[in-house]
Amino acid sequence: MAGQQYWGVQGWRFAFIMMASLSLLIGLLVYLFVVDPRKTIGANRDTSENFERDELIEKGNSYESSIWTESWTATKAVMKVKTFQIIVLQGIVGSLPWTAMVFFTMWFELIGFSHNKTAALLSVFAVGCSLGSLLGGLIADRMSHIYPHSGRIMCAQFSAVMGIPFSWFLLKVIPQSVSSYFTFAVTLFMMGLTISWNGTAVNAPIFAEVVPVKHRTMIYAYDRAFEGSFSSFAAPLVGILSEQMFGYDSKSIDPIKGSAREASALSKGLLSMMAIPFGLCCLFYTPLYRYFRQDRENARVAGSKSLEIM
């Protein structure tokens, strides 16, 4: 859509408007058709003595503490869980390469690719990531049955470490020329297929096993907040490295043909902010081999006690 107009609106603006409209539509459909499980549970409760007892307990607790106090207490408890700390730590580092990838569009156009070909390459990468999430989930589920305490961790480390050779091959080995279009496409697809496992196949299922069900959504939100906040530094760091260390100069860029020299400088900055964080991410998963099993058992015991009280 870049470089074109739709009903008098510039293409890039129209793309944002279109995505916003789709988001509003999805939100409306969720509001109309998605059923909150908590409401279903509440509707199915009978009016027996158990319900009256629960109601009295809830009323008594309401005088002692608010929902915010309860949430803060749960947050402090979860913050002490080693597995949670480790996943947040690796997530902060592991999110850096994904934020740095926003420069892929600029890099491909510096090489000389047109808007359409650049968009096609990024679409191939997005498709690879989508299929990779599914593939990673299937493999991680299988591995968790074979190795209940370490299967998902092994999948996470494999996915993280695969980012290193693919980043190196993509940014350093493939000739930075428009004639390498097919090689770029295949590499991006395979890269997306293998480096996208951690979120859906590993982190979320592990969180589900060590975090109380009642506060699971809140803890997921904390994790997203931590990772998103720190990973936002990746893009500026790519720019700083490219300019200060590798000689990137925006003034020497040809707006039509791009610039091979600047593309090379940017690729070096990208490689620095991708290969190193991918390696650290893989390394930071290692303590889970020790703590995940223990934290999961603690969560199960706590859940059993809660059910007995209810």
Side-chain angles (χ1 to χ4, degrees):
M1 291 183 174
Q4 302 182 35
Q5 288 194 352
Y6 299 87
W7 297 284
V9 180
Q10 292 181 346
W12 67 272
R13 293 181 184 273
F14 186 80
F16 275 101
I17 294 171
M18 184 175 66
M19 293 304 298
S21 301
L22 289 174
S23 298
L24 287 173
L25 176 61
I26 293 172
L28 179 62
L29 293 175
V30 169
Y31 176 77
L32 293 175
F33 298 108
V34 175
V35 179
D36 189 338
R38 294 173 298 179
K39 293 182 179 180
T40 304
I41 294 173
N44 291 335
R45 284 184 175 178
D46 55 20
T47 56
S48 62
E49 294 180 358
N50 289 335
F51 174 75
E52 294 176 356
R53 183 195 65 183
D54 292 342
E55 189 176 19
L56 289 173
I57 291 174
E58 290 175 1
K59 287 182 178 179
N61 290 339
S62 65
Y63 292 103
E64 297 175 3
S65 61
S66 66
I67 185 64
W68 297 106
T69 303
E70 182 184 356
S71 298
W72 176 242
T73 302
T75 300
K76 290 191 293 183
V78 173
M79 292 289 184
K80 297 177 182 178
V81 177
K82 296 293 185 182
T83 298
F84 176 81
Q85 297 172 1
I86 293 166
I87 290 181
V88 170
L89 176 62
Q90 69 76 31
I92 291 172
V93 178
S95 297
L96 294 176
W98 294 94
T99 307
M101 290 177 195
V102 299
F103 280 101
F104 274 180
T105 301
M106 181 179 179
W107 179 57
F108 283 127
E109 294 193 350
L110 284 173
I111 292 173
F113 290 112
S114 64
H115 293 319
N116 291 338
K117 288 190 174 181
T118 298
L121 287 172
L122 296 179
S123 298
V124 168
F125 180 62
V127 171
C129 290
S130 299
L131 295 176
S133 296
L134 175 61
L135 176 65
L138 295 173
I139 294 175
D141 286 346
R142 180 62 177 171
M143 290 291 290
S144 66
H145 287 294
I146 301 174
Y147 305 102
H149 308 301
S150 60
R152 293 192 185 276
I153 306 169
M154 288 189 283
C155 289
Q157 291 188 305
F158 170 80
S159 183
V161 80
M162 288 304 292
I164 300 175
F166 273 114
S167 298
W168 173 75
F169 187 79
L170 176 72
L171 298 167
K172 295 295 292 182
V173 176
I174 302 176
Q176 297 187 14
S177 168
V178 292
S179 61
S180 303
Y181 180 82
F182 181 75
T183 308
F184 277 124
V186 173
T187 303
L188 285 169
F189 179 79
M190 295 303 299
M191 183 177 179
L193 197 65
T194 54
I195 70 171
S196 55
W197 298 7
N198 291 11
T200 55
V202 182
N203 295 352
I206 287 179
F207 265 151
E209 295 191 72
V210 300
V211 171
V213 176
K214 185 176 181 180
H215 302 288
R216 192 172 290 166
T217 305
M218 179 184 63
I219 299 304
Y220 285 158
Y222 276 117
D223 175 57
R224 291 291 88 202
F226 284 130
E227 292 187 16
S229 299
F230 286 94
S231 66
S232 62
F233 292 101
L237 285 174
V238 171
I240 293 171
L241 289 173
S242 300
E243 291 183 354
Q244 303 299 325
M245 293 186 63
F246 304 118
Y248 179 90
D249 183 9
S250 59
K251 296 180 180 179
S252 62
I253 298 175
D254 187 322
I256 298 177
K257 297 181 180 180
S259 172
R261 179 178 175 275
E262 271 54 56
S264 177
L266 182 57
S267 68
K268 293 175 183 177
L270 279 167
L271 183 62
S272 301
M273 288 306 301
M274 290 177 64
I276 296 174
F278 273 132
L280 291 175
C281 177
C282 176
L283 181 65
F284 289 161
Y285 269 112
T286 305
L288 286 179
Y289 288 109
R290 176 181 178 183
Y291 293 111
F292 172 55
R293 180 176 183 176
Q294 177 183 348
D295 290 338
R296 181 171 60 179
E297 293 302 323
N298 292 340
R300 286 177 177 175
V301 171
S304 299
K305 290 182 179 179
S306 299
L307 290 175
E308 290 176 1
I309 294 174
M310 293 176 63

